[in-house]
Structure formats: structure tokens, C-alpha cells
Amino acid sequence: MNLPAPIDRASLPTEVAPLQDLVLELGQQMQAMRAQFDAQLDTLRHQLVELRRRLFGPRSEVIHLGQAELWSDPVQFPVPAEERREVGAHTRRKGGRPAISPDLPRRRVEHDLSDAEKAGYASLERIGEEVSELLEYIPARLEVIQNVRLKYRCESADGRSTVRTATAQGSPLLRSNAGAGLLAHVMVSKYLDHCPLARQSRIFARQGVALSRQTLCDWVLDATELLAVLMPALQRHVLSSPVIFTDDTTLALQAPGKTITARMWVYLAGGQQKDDEGQWHKVAPAALYDFTADRSGTHPRRILGAWRGYLQADDYSGYHASFREGVTHVACWAHVRRKFFDVIKAAPKGAPPGLADNALRFIGLIYRIERRLAEADPDVRLRVRQGRTRRVLTAFHRWLAHHQPTLLPRSPLGRAFAYALSNWTALTVFADSGLLAPDNNTAERAMRPVAISRKNWLFAGSPRGGRAAAVALSLIETARLNGIEPYAYLKDVLTRLPGHRMDRLDELLPMNWKPAP
């Protein structure tokens, strides 16, 4: 910031007009300095509030009642007509305990009168029973399976003899005594339930089994390397989707003498496709994770390859080369909303609603239309978006362009306006297709297991450990997205994989998986 040059009494002019010019010039300089100071103060205040909210505040981006009800300036924009809905009578929710799932196994325990109670009557006739259910917990237990392979001395008709020994299913891993169920439990506990291996080791010790953290680590690494043969088939499925959601997050990686910031990426299959009869069908959901030591743009290009379609992603420059190669960028309205939301949360209490509140009203209209289209097929969704959504987007863009020149470019509100306008083409792509979502929340939800896990097991001990996490997360998250219990899936696949045909690995992917009879 350039400060005014110092002025001494001798350098001041003696005439009135030059003095007035000097005063006006100094006033303009002071106003410019004040504007710069205000912008810096506003930015620092915004950063402080955002830091405090991230550390101590709620994560939800909810505006409390009354915060966005008023407008600082009247703004005209089209409001979609309300659809008629039949409103049924309110049904009061019944109280009491929730019903116990009928799928849980039952064990019948009969309670009878004691012999002393029966002796008090001349005769007894059983006329019925009263049944009540008690939900009980049976702790997990470890057992040792002894594989006894019977041996036979076999003699053929021509008199020749030999010794035959029955085969047995051992551990999926070479030179290991860990069963498929135990391996599946360790991986699910770490990557789905976010329980570090050191903590699991202490849990096993309480059950009377000594399993060191290093042993558990070796099991996870070896099991995921066995499961890694499924990753090419999973990648082919993801790349067969017309829409891919992608995001990345940080993951600490131990390196010799230091810890570096590595990356975990996710690519999710999405959208719908038409069959031969012209009917729309949803693409089976699948999540492909990829671990890298840096955030180079070569990594998305390596995964996507020659794929062409809609890539739902943020404005990371590493994707730009893919966008030039026939991939259409679909930006995220949740990112735009979050920037205006942060401005509102950083505002002093009691401040009147401003431009950020108005922007959220526009974005709210977009999502109000999308909520009504949640179950619609792509053809209906496209027709409504081309009409109602396009009118809202046109009004919003006109409003943004009108107010942006009045804002300081480096202020939080100025950055929010600039982000929306600079990404406007990618933000409005969804309105020209019924296959797309307005935001990238699907990928952000898939990043949540990584974010929660790294708070527990903190870091990847090596690139091999990072790749193991990517394999385990890919299969567990894909199973979860398809409504499959991850433990049952991993146990069955680890049992079948060593003897499965390599040209039929697609059968073992979660979306195609059928448990062994």
C-alpha cells in the first residue's frame, strides 16, 4: 500500500486554490487507503470466522430462520409456478420402542412354572403362551478352524497303489493363518469403521489373541494386493458411465525423514443410459479410488484415458487438459453456494441481509426445482430445466454481472461473485442435459470415509499403504453404494478369488456379485 509522501510546512503552497487541490488530492488518497484497509479487514475477519467455524462450529451449511428473508435491494426474477399437491391428513407417529428387525436370528427360550408352583394345583392344562422379545448382544469371538485332510492309500484294479490326500481351503494369503473372514473384518474395521490397526490389536488382546499391529498391517497389505486384480474391471465399469463425479482430498504420507501431503482421488460412475428398447436405466454405482503422492494433473488423465463424457468436478486446473480433449466440465453449485454462505456466517450479528443473502435465494430456487425432479427420468428433467431453470439462471447471471463492478475484487463477496461468473459456462451445463446433477455432492460424500479415517489412523505409512487404502475403499464403498454388506462381500470374494478364472473377474465386482451358495 502506497502511503502519502510526508509534507512539511515550507512545502505548502500559499495560495488558496493550490491548497484546496492538495486537500482534495489527500482526501482521495485517504479514501483509497480506507477502502484498501476495509477490504483487508473484511478478508481477515472472514478468515477468522471461517477458521473458528471449522474448528468449533457446526459443519452444516444451514441458514437459520430469518437470515435470508429480506432483500437489501429489490430484484426481479422469475419464480417457478407452484405445483398443486394433495395434502393428506397429519398422522401422529406412534410412540414406544422401535420394532426389532425380523431378519435377525431368533433363539426361543421357554420359561415354565417351577415344580413347587405346579405342586400347588390338582391339575394343569397348557392353554397358550405369551411371547416378548429381548434384543441381546453376543460379543464377536475368534475360533480356530482345524483343517483335517484325510489321507488314503488307494489301489487301482491293475494292482498299482498311491496315496491321496483331500484338499482343503486354507488362507487366501500365502504362508498365513488368517482366514477370509478375519481379513475382511480387519479391513472393514479400518476403512469403514475407521478403527486403526493398533486399536484393533488391543481389542484382539482382550479376546485372548496376540496379534501385533505389524501382523495386521501385513495382512491388510497382502489382502489388498490380492484384491487389486479387480481394479481394472472396476475402472472399466466406471469409464463406461456417461457421467463421472470426481474429487480429491489430502492424505498424509510418511516419507524418509518427513511427512508429505499426498492425495486420494475418487471417480464415481453416475447418470443413466438407454437400453435397446429406449428405456432409461441408472448406471450401477461404483467408486474407484486412486492414491497419488502429489496433485499433478497427469493423474486424472491417466485414469480417464480416452473416456469422453461429462466430468463433474471442481475448478482444479489439473482437469483442464481433459476438458480440451472432449470431456465436458460440469461445475458444482454447492461450491458457489458455500462461498456466499461463508460471507453470511462471517457477517457481524444483527447485520442486515445483503447481496450474499440474495445470491442464496437465487441458488435456492434452482434447488427447489431440482427437488421436484428427483424421481423424474432424464427426458422430463431436461424439458423442465430448459424452461424453468434456464429462466432463473438467466436472471441470476444478469444480477451477478450488475453488482460485480460495485464490489472490491479481493473481498470475500467479490471473490464469490468472481468464482460464479468465471465458472458460469460449466455451472450451467447441467441445464442442457437430463443426465447431470447440479452439484458434485456425490463425490464429496465419497470423500467422507477418507476424511474420517485419516483422523483416526492419521497417515499412510508408505505408498504401498496408500494404494492398499485405495483398493479397500474402492470395494467397500462400491459395495455400500449397491446395498451390499461389505464384510459379507469381502469374505466371500477373498474365499473365491484364489481359484476364480481371471477372464471372469467382472463377476466378483460388487455390482455383479452374487454370494456363493
Side-chain angles (χ1 to χ4, degrees):
M1 182 178 297
N2 297 325
L3 297 177
I7 301 175
D8 56 10
R9 190 178 185 87
S11 62
L12 290 175
T14 57
E15 300 295 331
V16 175
L19 279 173
Q20 291 176 337
D21 294 339
L22 180 60
V23 170
L24 290 175
E25 181 182 353
L26 291 175
Q28 292 174 354
Q29 293 179 2
M30 294 301 296
Q31 287 180 352
M33 291 173 57
R34 175 63 183 270
Q36 292 179 345
F37 276 122
D38 288 345
Q40 291 181 357
L41 181 61
D42 192 25
T43 300
L44 293 173
R45 184 187 294 115
H46 173 79
Q47 293 174 352
L48 177 60
V49 171
E50 176 64 14
L51 177 62
R52 294 180 63 181
R53 186 178 70 84
R54 288 179 179 272
L55 292 176
F56 310 113
R59 301 287 177 171
S60 137
E61 296 178 4
V62 176
I63 302 296
H64 296 290
L65 184 63
Q67 278 188 273
E69 296 299 320
L70 301 177
W71 296 77
S72 60
D73 297 312
V75 178
Q76 299 296 327
F77 58 92
V79 179
E82 293 289 339
E83 297 178 355
R84 288 184 175 272
R85 292 182 298 173
E86 294 294 332
V87 180
H90 173 70
T91 303
R92 186 177 298 276
R93 186 165 61 93
K94 295 182 179 180
R97 296 189 299 268
I100 300 176
S101 171
D103 298 330
L104 292 176
R106 259 71 175 172
R107 180 166 61 93
R108 183 181 174 92
V109 180
E110 292 189 355
H111 302 273
D112 201 356
L113 298 177
S114 67
D115 292 340
E117 290 173 324
K118 291 180 179 180
Y121 301 94
S123 65
L124 294 174
E125 180 184 0
R126 181 171 174 174
I127 60 173
E129 62 185 23
E130 293 184 3
V131 179
S132 62
E133 292 190 331
L134 179 69
L135 187 63
E136 185 57 278
Y137 172 73
I138 300 176
R141 63 186 178 88
L142 292 165
E143 66 178 8
V144 178
I145 298 177
Q146 290 185 329
N147 289 312
V148 181
R149 302 165 59 203
L150 300 183
K151 300 174 65 175
Y152 292 90
R153 177 181 175 273
C154 306
E155 188 170 326
S156 62
D158 58 1
R160 289 181 298 178
S161 62
T162 185
V163 175
R164 291 289 306 275
T165 305
T167 58
Q169 178 88 34
S171 172
L173 308 180
L174 294 176
R175 296 182 296 278
S176 174
N177 61 354
L182 180 56
L183 295 173
H185 169 74
V186 171
M187 286 192 290
V188 168
S189 297
K190 178 174 182 179
Y191 296 108
L192 182 61
D193 300 327
H194 321 295
C195 186
L197 298 180
R199 196 177 303 163
Q200 291 189 53
S201 176
R202 294 193 294 269
I203 294 173
F204 287 128
R206 293 202 304 268
Q207 299 176 5
V209 180
L211 294 174
S212 68
R213 175 185 172 278
Q214 186 59 52
T215 297
L216 297 177
C217 183
D218 291 339
W219 285 355
V220 170
L221 294 174
D222 293 341
T224 51
E225 288 178 353
L226 177 64
L227 293 168
V229 297
L230 299 177
M231 292 300 101
L234 183 62
Q235 182 176 353
R236 285 195 299 271
H237 174 80
V238 172
L239 296 182
S240 69
S241 170
V243 182
I244 292 180
F245 300 86
T246 183
D247 198 7
D248 68 287
T249 189
T250 59
L251 183 65
L253 171 65
Q254 278 194 333
K258 59 181 179 179
T259 300
I260 64 175
T261 301
R263 288 279 165 173
M264 185 69 78
W265 309 70
V266 68
Y267 304 87
L268 291 112
Q272 300 186 44
Q273 292 176 324
K274 277 187 176 181
D275 58 18
D276 296 336
E277 299 177 355
Q279 298 296 320
W280 288 102
H281 296 279
K282 289 186 177 180
V283 175
L288 176 68
Y289 289 82
D290 183 42
F291 173 81
T292 63
D294 54 47
R295 205 192 184 197
S296 169
T298 59
H299 303 305
R301 293 196 294 275
R302 170 177 52 84
I303 294 294
L304 297 175
W307 175 81
R308 298 293 179 266
Y310 295 101
L311 186 66
Q312 194 110 25
D314 58 22
D315 192 33
Y316 168 52
S317 60
Y319 297 124
H320 291 178
S322 297
F323 299 151
R324 292 193 296 268
E325 297 170 359
V327 177
T328 303
H329 181 205
V330 186
C332 176
W333 275 101
H335 282 74
V336 179
R337 184 189 185 279
R338 189 171 301 133
K339 293 182 181 298
F340 288 109
F341 171 83
D342 291 342
V343 173
I344 295 175
K345 298 304 291 184
K349 289 185 178 181
L355 295 177
D357 300 85
N358 299 353
L360 291 189
R361 291 286 296 275
F362 276 109
I363 298 173
L365 282 175
I366 297 172
Y367 277 93
R368 185 189 305 173
I369 299 171
E370 289 300 314
R371 281 193 294 271
R372 297 172 183 167
L373 300 173
E375 301 301 325
D377 65 51
D379 294 329
V380 175
R381 193 177 292 126
L382 174 60
R383 186 166 61 251
V384 175
R385 286 175 175 175
Q386 286 290 289
R388 297 178 182 177
T389 304
R390 269 295 175 189
R391 289 197 295 271
V392 176
L393 291 172
T394 300
F396 190 21
H397 185 269
R398 187 184 308 121
W399 181 84
L400 288 169
H402 171 73
H403 286 284
Q404 187 193 27
T406 67
L407 303 174
L408 294 171
R410 295 187 179 182
S411 66
L413 187 58
R415 289 193 178 100
F417 270 71
Y419 181 86
L421 289 172
S422 63
N423 290 280
W424 191 256
T425 300
L427 285 169
T428 56
V429 168
F430 83 100
D432 296 323
S433 172
L435 298 175
L436 305 175
D439 54 49
N440 198 28
N441 288 346
T442 302
E444 292 195 3
R445 285 192 294 269
M447 285 286 95
R448 192 172 299 164
V450 183
I452 299 176
S453 291
R454 70 188 176 201
K455 291 183 178 180
N456 290 273
W457 37 263
L458 301 180
F459 54 82
S462 65
R464 186 186 177 197
R467 292 190 294 270
V471 171
L473 287 168
S474 297
L475 297 177
I476 290 173
E477 184 67 12
T478 302
R480 191 191 64 80
L481 291 173
N482 286 273
I484 297 172
E485 206 287 304
Y487 168 78
Y489 166 75
L490 286 178
K491 179 183 177 182
D492 185 62
V493 170
L494 284 169
T495 301
R496 296 160 59 182
L497 188 58
H500 199 80
R501 289 178 52 175
M502 292 294 103
D503 60 341
R504 295 172 56 182
L505 291 176
D506 288 6
E507 299 174 351
L508 299 184
L509 294 179
M511 70 287 298
N512 303 326
W513 174 73
K514 292 181 177 61

